[in-house]
Amino acid sequence: MDVYVIQQIVNALSAGSLYALMAVGLALIFGILRLINFAHGDVMMVAAYLAAFSLFAGLPLPVALGIMVGGTVLIGLAIERIAYRPIRGGPEVAMLLTSFAVGQILQNGTLLLTRLASQPIQIAFPTPDVLQGVVAIGRVTIPKVNVVGFGSGMVILVGVMLFLTRTRTGLSMHAAADDLPAAQLVGIRINRVVAAAFALSAALASVAGLLYASQAGQINPYLGFTPVLKAFIAAVIGGFGSIPGAVVGAYALGFLEVIPTALGGIADILPVGAVSPEIDDLLRTIFPSALGSYRDAIVFLFLILMLLFRPNGILGGGAREDVP
Amino acid sequence: MLELVDLHVAYGNIRALRGISMRVESGELVALIGSNGAGKSTTLKAISGLLRPTSGRILFEGEDISRASTDRIVSLGISQCPEGRRVFARLTVRENLLLGGITRPMSEVRSDLASTTELFPRLGERMGQVAGTLSGGEQQMLAIGRALMSRPRLLILDEPSLGLAPLMVERIFEVIDGLKDRGLTMLLVEQNVHHALDSADRAYVLETGTITLEGPADMLRHDPEVEHSYLGR
Amino acid sequence: MSALRIPRRTLVLLLAASGTLALLQLSGLAFWQGLAINFAIFIILVQALNMASGFTGVFSLGHIGFMAIGAYTSAILTLPLATKSEYLPNLPGWLAGIHLDVAVGPLPVGFFAATLVAGLVAMVVAGLVGAVLMRLSGHFVAVATLGFLVIVRVVLFNADDITRGSRTFSNVTPYTNLWWAWGWAVIAIYVAWRVKFSGLGRAMFAQKADRWAARSIGISILRPRLIAFVAGAFLSAIAGSLYAHFITSFSPTVFYFDLTFRVITMLVVGGMGSVSGAVIGTALVLALAEALRRIEGATLLYGLGGILLAVFFIAVIIFRPSGIMGQREVDLDRVLGWRPRWRRGRPDAEPSRRG
Ligand SMILES: Nc1ncnc2c1ncn2[C@@H]1O[C@H](COP(=O)(O)OP(=O)(O)OP(=O)(O)O)[C@@H](O)[C@H]1O
Ligand SMILES: [Mg+2]
């Protein structure tokens, strides 16, 4: 039982780190441009492919990771320059739709390239050794990728926070998010700041891509869709546009997600005879083992409720229109 | 120092400026007055490069800056303190001031922090406070302080006294007079025409996108038209 | 004059369309027949989204979820009893007994009834979901409706007893033909047109143009939005039913983001808020997609079509953000060469705004 609980907590923390890496990128760009960058999930997917192909090519891990981060950053910058800059400041929905189109381009482009490389659509990810296997602490065994994911996520996020609050570029991002014209008037180079935000968010997404692919063991061109939606939910939980909020929201989401899975299996893991048959029956009715498979539905229901009742997040940006 | 030549600016079909010409000489304080919607802010935005004129020229020390980017214009020495204060609400006072000097090397900016807080002691006491929680008057001080951090040669102020209590208005004009005494060139847009004409050397009156009157501030103060429309006498 | 002209124009158009369909039917060209049915189904989907989003400015990404609801509802309802007990043995009792597979003469009225029921079910769901979601603003509504799409998908995948879960749902009776598809498409176009130029339509456009102004002249915001959302859900479900009985086997994966994006592309290219634009956009994108599909097939460059379509879409958003038609409509009289000397009471370019 306690082993089970600890494992679930580690799962939650590890998922939280992954969502946080993604959600910070979304929040960063939303804050400055009011753009919900749905292509962010596909940027993460591209990172996984860059890593996979570099490793397939037999490059040493550090080089492969360098290519992964560098390549993803370049793609993030290219997207901003080519697709988003021409419609910057345009209607929010136009920007959102453009990001969908960008996502389609990345997905289909990846599909095209894997086909040209005569690879199947779904390929096994060559998970690096450091992320393979399990860590055993007493009776608890935890997949290494979860431990490394949580740890590296935390370190990177702390670094990002320091960057955003201690450097002039970081502060410029805040300023641009607070008030774009005023930021221009003090002489902040908006194009540079936006590019920096895209570069940073792409770099974060690339780490998320590596972790995601190592956890899943397999990659396909469509893998970015669910993570970006989850990251969006995380950002909403934290108050959209707020970066610390996105981090808190991501870990909250990580825990929220394990609840259906954990409760769904609760009756199965109780030792036989621990509770009376009536309670066991009750538990199985309220928390059927299938509850876990409804996880995404439950999480999205939560998103909708959040948008309605706590549009400013659990910490304190806004969604609800005051309609009569 | 600054010269606008037959400047036209439009928002889509709306022609906000219909060929205005004006100049600000070095060391002068020039006031631009006019009723709501006359095009004062539009003029200032065009000077700072936030808006692109449809035709006409903006010369700063002889160089045409009408197509230059805002950051370049700031680097050249024009700093604008926008209408409605617009401080970075979620950043601290210190961070706001640091960002004001973004076009200059960090070391110089740090040493300038002291001279700005000397000018605005109230800000010095509140360096760590989040700007959004400052009072209206303090935010206006911060906005001016932030604009000064780029060490401008021309400071543009858009309605700095807007929405402030009388005592605070006095304080703002004291600051403006102080800056003028130090030789800073300024272009001032004000609803508070009385005060503006007291401080200014020269003034322009803007009405629906055209300059209708110009001259020394003393003269405009006694112009019947100005007295009637703007001074309420 | 105008009272006489409209029926004549409509009549001639309908006759011409029927004639074309009859010719196509007789020709036996299976590919073109299939394409025509696809065209009709997409027209319904695009008009549905046009009402829900184009008229109101409230961007819905969830309407393919209603299509899924329509497809599954109608497919289950029309299964003959014998097939049903074998194919879906765990269906709840009340559902297991229904079999709308009856026909009167050559007319499959059961299919018609099932399609209507599918539409009604989607309307009820849309009413509940919309009452909550239509309160959200701007792009948040888009993401929340996307959340709805995900929820529908998860439920379809997990409600094994009713939907067969992730397994393909086949054995659907192939009722959909040119006539059914185009019959409904004409209805969808007609409904969208009537709504656009009604008081309700003006309210939809007014709150899209300016929420605050609309409210200050007494136009409610929630009501027109909700009605548009629900009407769009109904039409999407009809399209779902037609699709189910056309393709005859499908799985939950079909009703997801790719299809959503395809329908959005058609609408945006045509012009959000234009009824005739929706038809033009549908035709254009469908033709483009079909051509690209063939190029992909010939060159084996799978993915190229998707890339080019998305590039095309971005180009439209950058260079012609209001699409081909904007909110205007094709002037049929001009196209058909009927140019009366003076026109009265014709709906004009944009629905006139009240107040
Ligand atoms: N973004 C905009 N889009 C369209 N029209 C605008 C825009 N901004 C200003 N205008 C119009 O341009 C004209 C001039 O506006 P401007 O803000 O320059 O006036 P102002 O003199 O600064 O007025 P105030 O004293 O109220 O600040 C006004 O008629 C205004 O409605
Ligand atoms: Mg103004």
Side-chain angles (χ1 to χ4, degrees):
Chain A
M1 178 68 193
D2 50 344
V3 175
Y4 181 75
V5 170
I6 292 172
Q7 274 166 346
Q8 295 296 347
I9 290 175
V10 175
N11 285 348
L13 288 174
S14 148
S17 279
L18 185 104
Y19 296 151
L21 289 171
M22 293 292 288
V24 165
L26 278 187
L28 209 56
I29 286 164
F30 181 83
I32 302 174
L33 295 182
R34 307 275 113 187
L35 158 70
I36 298 178
N37 182 17
F38 254 91
H40 198 50
D42 303 298
V43 170
M44 167 188 142
M45 174 276 295
V46 169
Y49 270 88
L50 285 172
F53 280 100
S54 306
L55 291 170
F56 283 148
L59 295 173
L61 186 62
V63 178
L65 293 185
I67 291 179
M68 174 189 85
V69 177
T72 313
V73 165
L74 286 182
I75 287 171
L77 289 173
I79 292 171
E80 190 275 319
R81 184 68 196 81
I82 297 166
Y84 295 148
R85 197 174 295 179
I87 54 158
R88 192 188 290 171
E92 291 171 352
V93 169
M95 295 199 286
L96 178 66
L97 292 179
T98 305
S99 80
F100 286 141
V102 168
Q104 294 276 314
I105 293 173
L106 293 177
Q107 286 173 20
N108 284 291
T110 308
L111 181 68
L112 187 62
L113 293 177
T114 47
R115 282 296 182 91
L116 288 178
S118 354
Q119 296 277 347
I121 293 187
Q122 176 110 352
I123 55 181
F125 188 72
T127 306
D129 286 341
V130 285
L131 295 173
Q132 268 181 4
V134 294
V135 184
I137 308 167
R139 282 167 49 233
V140 192
T141 55
I142 304 164
K144 254 195 212 166
V145 59
N146 285 0
V147 178
V148 177
F150 171 62
S152 57
M154 283 302 247
V155 170
I156 291 172
L157 289 167
V158 168
V160 170
M161 291 299 163
L162 288 177
F163 168 76
L164 288 174
T165 51
R166 298 291 156 86
T167 66
R168 286 214 283 190
T169 311
L171 288 176
S172 299
M173 287 182 191
H174 278 293
D178 252 4
D179 190 329
L180 202 57
Q184 279 176 284
L185 281 178
V186 298
I188 290 172
R189 298 187 185 182
I190 298 304
N191 284 344
R192 276 207 190 176
V193 167
V194 170
F198 270 88
L200 179 58
S201 92
L204 294 176
S206 71
V207 178
L210 175 71
L211 293 175
Y212 185 90
S214 302
Q215 257 164 21
Q218 288 184 322
I219 54 177
N220 65 58
Y222 313 106
L223 63 80
F225 190 68
T226 311
V228 76
L229 281 177
K230 297 283 176 65
F232 178 78
I233 298 175
V236 168
I237 294 176
F240 214 86
S242 153
I243 287 158
V247 175
V248 173
Y251 286 104
L253 180 63
F255 277 96
L256 186 73
E257 273 195 346
V258 298
I259 290 173
T261 321
L263 288 181
I266 196 100
D268 300 329
I269 57 132
L270 288 176
V272 184
V275 290
S276 64
E278 293 82 35
I279 294 184
D280 188 68
D281 261 7
L282 188 69
L283 281 178
R284 283 182 197 281
T285 331
I286 311 177
F287 305 123
S289 345
L291 199 61
S293 44
Y294 281 95
R295 189 186 70 190
D296 286 358
I298 295 170
V299 166
F300 278 98
L301 209 57
F302 184 75
L303 162 78
I304 291 170
L305 294 176
M306 278 294 300
L307 283 175
L308 275 172
F309 297 111
R310 288 303 298 268
N312 298 324
I314 43 178
L315 294 183
R320 185 164 166 167
E321 196 147 74
D322 186 20
V323 289
Chain B
M1 183 176 252
L2 179 77
E3 187 174 7
L4 310 188
V5 185
D6 193 28
L7 195 67
H8 291 257
V9 178
Y11 297 98
N13 293 328
I14 306 166
R15 294 171 58 206
L17 295 186
R18 308 168 179 208
I20 67 165
S21 298
M22 55 187 282
R23 52 196 302 138
V24 180
E25 297 299 346
S26 184
E28 264 190 327
L29 167 50
V30 174
L32 178 62
I33 59 180
S35 47
N36 289 109
K40 305 181 298 289
S41 298
T42 304
T43 310
L44 302 190
K45 282 180 193 158
I47 296 171
S48 281
L50 288 180
L51 291 171
R52 289 272 165 263
T54 41
S55 68
R57 287 184 302 159
I58 303 172
L59 302 171
F60 183 63
E61 298 185 325
E63 180 180 347
D64 190 347
I65 55 165
S66 61
R67 307 267 143 200
S69 65
T70 303
D71 57 86
R72 164 125 177 87
I73 291 169
V74 175
S75 314
L76 284 175
I78 301 182
S79 187
Q80 182 175 159
C81 174
E83 194 174 5
R85 308 192 262 279
R86 317 278 293 256
V87 295
F88 303 125
R90 288 187 289 175
L91 298 181
T92 63
V93 170
R94 177 192 300 277
E95 289 164 342
N96 268 274
L97 292 175
L98 287 178
L99 284 172
I102 190 110
T103 49
R104 299 175 46 232
M106 194 63 178
S107 52
E108 288 180 26
V109 175
R110 281 199 200 285
S111 57
D112 276 7
L113 269 183
S115 53
T116 303
T117 49
E118 203 174 296
L119 193 62
F120 303 105
R122 283 273 267 280
L123 294 182
E125 295 157 16
R126 291 173 166 71
M127 290 302 265
Q129 191 173 333
V130 173
T133 62
L134 295 175
S135 75
E138 288 161 356
Q139 288 190 13
Q140 187 61 58
M141 305 280 185
L142 177 56
I144 298 176
R146 184 182 65 186
L148 288 171
M149 291 295 290
S150 65
R151 289 246 180 121
R153 280 180 291 157
L154 170 65
L155 177 67
I156 299 178
L157 298 163
D158 195 350
E159 305 208 22
S161 76
L162 190 73
L164 297 183
L167 219 62
M168 203 36 109
V169 175
E170 297 300 331
R171 179 77 193 92
I172 295 288
F173 275 96
E174 277 170 28
V175 169
I176 292 172
D177 292 339
L179 292 171
K180 181 167 182 273
D181 290 343
R182 292 197 205 169
L184 183 63
T185 314
M186 283 182 281
L187 174 58
L188 170 69
V189 163
E190 254 306 331
Q191 294 278 352
N192 199 325
V193 176
H194 204 84
H195 263 110
L197 291 182
D198 273 348
S199 299
D201 300 309
R202 288 189 307 116
Y204 291 85
V205 177
L206 190 61
E207 272 170 28
T208 55
T210 44
I211 303 266
T212 52
L213 268 175
E214 58 174 288
D218 292 336
M219 212 176 85
L220 283 189
R221 204 168 351 177
H222 300 108
D223 183 276
E225 187 65 33
V226 173
E227 279 191 344
H228 177 73
S229 308
Y230 302 105
L231 296 173
R233 281 191 221 132
Chain C
M1 167 86 191
S2 74
L4 277 175
R5 207 182 75 235
I6 290 167
R8 191 183 75 157
R9 186 180 66 187
T10 313
L11 205 67
V12 172
L13 270 179
L14 283 179
L15 279 177
S18 310
T20 316
L21 286 189
L23 275 177
L24 190 56
Q25 177 97 54
L26 289 173
S27 72
L29 295 168
F31 168 77
W32 292 102
Q33 287 170 354
L35 195 62
I37 292 174
N38 251 325
F39 184 24
I41 292 175
F42 269 117
I43 286 181
I44 303 171
L45 286 172
V46 177
Q47 292 299 1
L49 190 66
N50 197 11
M51 274 206 262
S53 300
F55 289 11
T56 61
V58 176
F59 219 88
S60 168
L61 296 173
H63 273 72
I64 295 302
F66 295 118
M67 180 192 184
I69 290 174
Y72 275 94
T73 306
S74 172
I76 292 166
L77 289 179
T78 53
L79 273 187
L81 271 187
T83 329
K84 202 175 243 179
S85 56
E86 206 181 294
Y87 197 57
L88 298 168
N90 301 323
L91 216 54
W94 57 275
L95 252 181
I98 307 174
H99 57 106
L100 296 173
D101 53 350
V102 286
V104 175
L107 264 187
V109 290
F111 169 51
F112 183 67
T115 305
L116 280 181
V117 173
L120 291 176
V121 170
M123 280 175 84
V124 171
V125 177
L128 294 172
V129 174
V132 176
L133 294 191
M134 291 304 107
R135 292 171 190 283
L136 296 172
S137 69
H139 42 208
F140 287 98
V141 89
V143 178
T145 46
L146 189 60
F148 168 73
L149 184 65
V150 175
I151 292 173
V152 169
R153 177 183 159 98
V154 171
V155 171
L156 290 179
F157 262 119
N158 284 289
D160 260 15
D161 294 350
I162 301 174
T163 63
R164 294 174 51 83
S166 57
R167 287 171 297 164
T168 306
F169 194 108
S170 44
N171 288 344
V172 187
T173 326
Y175 287 119
T176 304
N177 56 22
L178 281 172
W179 303 100
W180 280 114
W182 277 95
W184 278 110
V186 168
I187 291 174
I189 296 171
Y190 178 75
V191 168
W193 185 274
R194 287 305 293 256
V195 168
K196 179 171 178 178
F197 297 106
S198 68
L200 185 64
R202 278 191 290 272
M204 291 174 183
F205 278 89
Q207 64 86 32
K208 171 185 179 182
D210 188 338
R211 289 187 291 279
W212 302 109
R215 196 201 294 198
S216 68
I217 55 171
I219 293 176
S220 134
I221 295 173
L222 187 57
R223 203 178 81 100
R225 282 186 176 183
L226 186 56
I227 293 174
F229 188 77
V230 170
F234 176 81
L235 286 181
S236 298
I238 302 289
S241 170
L242 290 169
Y243 173 79
H245 295 277
F246 170 55
I247 205 91
T248 69
S249 65
F250 51 83
S251 70
T253 48
V254 180
F255 308 103
Y256 213 38
F257 193 69
D258 283 355
L259 188 55
T260 303
F261 188 67
R262 177 62 52 88
V263 173
I264 290 173
T265 307
M266 291 170 166
L267 179 62
V268 169
V269 168
M272 288 182 58
S274 170
V275 177
S276 44
V279 178
I280 296 170
T282 307
L284 193 70
V285 174
L286 196 65
L288 196 62
E290 186 60 34
L292 289 169
R293 203 175 59 83
R294 300 196 146 209
I295 293 173
E296 275 185 348
T299 57
L300 296 178
L301 294 173
Y302 292 101
L304 187 67
I307 296 176
L308 293 178
L309 263 179
V311 169
F312 173 64
F313 180 79
I314 293 178
V316 168
I317 287 196
I318 294 176
F319 299 109
R320 203 175 165 95
S322 52
I324 294 174
M325 296 298 296
Q327 290 179 12
R328 289 165 298 134
E329 297 296 346
V330 169
D331 189 340
L332 273 181
D333 294 336
R334 207 155 97 194
V335 173
L336 298 178
W338 291 320
R339 200 73 179 149
R341 209 156 292 153
W342 15 264
R343 293 179 299 151
R344 254 185 328 138
R346 258 197 82 249
D348 216 319
E350 216 180 306
S352 55
R353 234 183 289 153
R354 229 181 352 212

